[in-house]
Amino acid sequence: MKIAILDDYQDVVKKLDCFALLNDHDVTVFTDTLIDEVALAERLFDFDALVLIRERTHITDSLLSRLPNLKLISQTGKVSNHIDVSVCEKHGVKVLEGRGSPVAPSELCWSLIMAASRNLPDYVEQFKAGEWQQSGSLDLGRTLSGLTIGIWGFGKIGQRIAKYASAFDMKVMVWGSESSRDNAVSMGFTAAETKQAFFQKADIVSLHLRLNDVTRGCVKRSDLDVMKADALLVNTSRAELIEEGALYAAMASNPTKRAAIDVYETEPANLANEPLLGLPNVLCSPHIGYVERNSYELYFSVAFENILQEVETHP
Ligand SMILES: NC(=O)C1=CN([C@@H]2O[C@H](COP(=O)(O)OP(=O)(O)OC[C@H]3O[C@@H](n4cnc5c(N)ncnc54)[C@H](O)[C@@H]3O)[C@@H](O)[C@H]2O)C=CC1
Ligand SMILES: O=C(O)C(=O)COP(=O)(O)O
C-alpha cells in the first residue's frame, strides 16, 4: 500500500519502534501542514491510505472528491469532528478509529496546575534573566493541599485528575452528567449541586469533557465571572468548550484570576491569532497533552495495526 502519514509536526514517527510495522509498505511522512485543499489533494493523489495525527487535517467532501485512489483513513486516537464519516462512506473510504491513553494528558494537566499554582514559569524566566527570588514582583503562589478542585467531565482523564488531586490532599468536586456525578459520589468524591455552585466553590476548575454539539460553548462568561477572585481555570480538553472569546474577556478584566490552557480555538496558535498568549495571568502550552513517547507509540502502533488488520481481512 502507498501510505501517507500527515502532520507529524515533531518529526517523531520514524523514530518510534512501531514504525517498523509498516516495513512492507510504501510510506511517506509529511511533517508540514497543508491547509490549502487543492495542494493537499495533489500531494495525496496517489496514496491508498492516510494516517492522521489527531485532528489537524479536515476530511471533507471536496477533498475526497479529489482523491479517487484513497481507500482508508487510519486515525490516531478517537475520530472527532475533523472527519466527516458519512462523506467518507459516500466516497467508499473506510475510517479506522485508534486509541489513546489518559496518562500523558492527565500528567500534562497536573503539570500545568502545579506550575501555575507556584508561578514556576515566571520564576524560572526571571532567574534565567539574572534575577534571584524576585517574589516582590511575582505573586507568591500557593500550595494545593486543602484546596477544592472542580472537575467537569468525569471520563478517563477527569477520573485520573481526581485521583492525583486526592494524593495532594485536595477536595474533589465533580460537575457534569448525572451519571458522572453519581459515579463521582460512588468513588467518595463530592458532586456539585448546580453549575453555579461548582464555579463559585472551586479554587481550581479543570475541564475534561469531550467536545460535541451539546458541550460546545457550555462554559459561559457568567460562569467564569462567579469563580473566586484567585481561582485557576484549566483547559486541556478543547477551547470550544468555552464560549468564544469568554476566557480572554474574563482573564483580561480579572488579573487575579488565572488560566492554564493547552488547547486553542485556532491551532496552530500564535500571537497573531491567539490573544490569550499575551496575558500574564494565562499559562499556555502548545497542545502537548498527548506529546510524550509512550503516548505516541500507542497512538501510532494502534493506527498501524488497524491498517494491517484491514489489509489482511480485505486484501
Ligand atoms: N490536550 C491534549 O493533548 C489532549 C486532550 N484530550 C481531551 O481531553 C478531553 C477528555 O478526554 P477523555 O477523558 O479521554 O474523554 P472521555 O470520553 O473518557 O470522557 C469525556 C467526558 O465528557 C463527558 N461528556 C461528553 N458529552 C457530554 C455531554 N453532552 N454532557 C455532559 N458530559 C458529556 C462524558 O460524560 C465524560 O465524562 C477530551 O476533550 C479530549 O479531546 C485528550 C487527550 C489529549
Ligand atoms: O490529542 C488530543 O488532543 C486528543 O484529544 C486525543 O484524544 P484521544 O486520545 O484520541 O481520545
Side-chain angles (χ1 to χ4, degrees):
M1 274 199 136
K2 262 180 90 60
I3 301 172
I5 300 178
L6 297 190
D7 305 331
D8 181 12
Y9 286 179
Q10 292 175 305
D11 202 5
V12 73
V13 68
K14 288 183 185 155
K15 296 172 207 143
L16 300 176
D17 295 340
C18 63
F19 194 60
L21 287 170
L22 298 184
N23 275 349
D24 293 340
H25 295 273
D26 176 359
V27 181
T28 308
V29 182
F30 295 102
T31 53
D32 59 335
T33 311
L34 267 187
I35 309 280
D36 176 70
E37 200 168 276
V38 176
L40 184 62
E42 272 171 26
R43 169 182 277 185
L44 300 178
F45 188 80
D46 288 333
F47 289 94
D48 305 299
L50 305 181
V51 176
L52 301 184
I53 305 175
R54 303 307 313 124
E55 46 211 71
R56 288 154 182 174
T57 297
H58 287 255
I59 304 298
T60 60
D61 197 11
S62 56
L63 177 66
L64 293 185
S65 307
R66 297 172 193 269
L67 298 177
N69 301 315
L70 189 66
K71 298 170 197 73
L72 274 184
I73 294 175
S74 186
Q75 173 69 48
T76 61
K78 281 234 177 247
V79 169
S80 40
N81 306 333
H82 64 299
I83 300 183
D84 188 331
V85 179
S86 59
V87 152
C88 291
E89 257 170 43
K90 185 179 104 183
H91 288 273
V93 174
K94 187 147 189 189
V95 178
L96 310 173
E97 182 164 74
R99 183 161 51 85
S101 154
V103 177
S106 304
E107 289 186 4
L108 188 272
C109 177
W110 205 258
S111 307
L112 288 173
I113 290 173
M114 294 187 75
S117 299
R118 297 296 292 275
N119 270 328
L120 194 56
D122 293 344
Y123 275 103
V124 170
E125 195 181 319
Q126 289 213 2
F127 185 22
K128 290 203 165 184
E131 301 284 354
W132 177 253
Q133 294 187 0
Q134 287 302 293
S135 53
S137 60
L138 294 175
D139 183 270
L140 275 176
R142 61 177 173 177
T143 48
L144 299 176
S145 176
L147 298 186
T148 297
I149 184 166
I151 298 174
W152 189 351
F154 205 55
K156 292 189 292 295
I157 296 176
Q159 290 182 31
R160 194 164 269 271
I161 293 303
K163 193 164 124 186
Y164 295 172
S166 305
F168 279 76
D169 294 328
M170 297 180 78
K171 296 172 198 133
V172 174
M173 173 177 58
V174 171
W175 180 243
S177 61
E178 205 177 325
S179 66
S180 290
R181 283 179 283 146
D182 289 348
N183 201 6
V185 171
S186 73
M187 291 164 80
F189 303 118
T190 309
E193 275 165 17
T194 61
K195 184 168 89 154
Q196 196 181 25
F198 173 79
F199 278 95
Q200 278 173 333
K201 287 185 187 166
D203 298 292
I204 297 172
V205 168
S206 199
L207 305 177
H208 298 289
L209 296 153
R210 288 250 162 225
L211 179 66
N212 54 42
D213 289 343
V214 180
T215 60
R216 186 179 299 278
C218 63
V219 178
K220 313 283 180 209
R221 171 72 199 270
S222 52
D223 297 324
L224 303 175
D225 283 345
V226 299
M227 286 174 72
K228 292 182 182 178
D230 56 355
L232 170 69
L233 186 283
V234 187
N235 189 7
T236 56
S237 291
R238 285 294 177 269
E240 296 88 344
L241 292 170
I242 305 176
E243 211 174 29
E244 199 180 345
L247 186 58
Y248 178 82
M251 291 300 141
S253 55
N254 295 283
T256 62
K257 289 186 183 174
R258 284 163 309 144
I261 55 175
D262 188 45
V263 286
Y264 303 88
E265 282 168 13
T266 303
E267 294 190 11
N270 53 50
L271 264 178
N273 64 23
E274 184 47 78
L276 285 166
L277 282 167
L279 292 180
N281 52 340
V282 182
L283 176 58
C284 300
S285 55
H287 202 151
I288 51 168
Y290 67 98
V291 175
E292 179 274 336
R293 173 165 282 277
N294 291 321
S295 171
Y296 267 126
E297 282 285 359
L298 179 66
Y299 272 136
F300 280 110
S301 60
V302 175
F304 296 162
E305 277 158 9
N306 283 347
I307 292 182
L308 299 180
Q309 197 179 351
E310 185 61 27
V311 172
E312 210 172 286
T313 40
H314 304 101

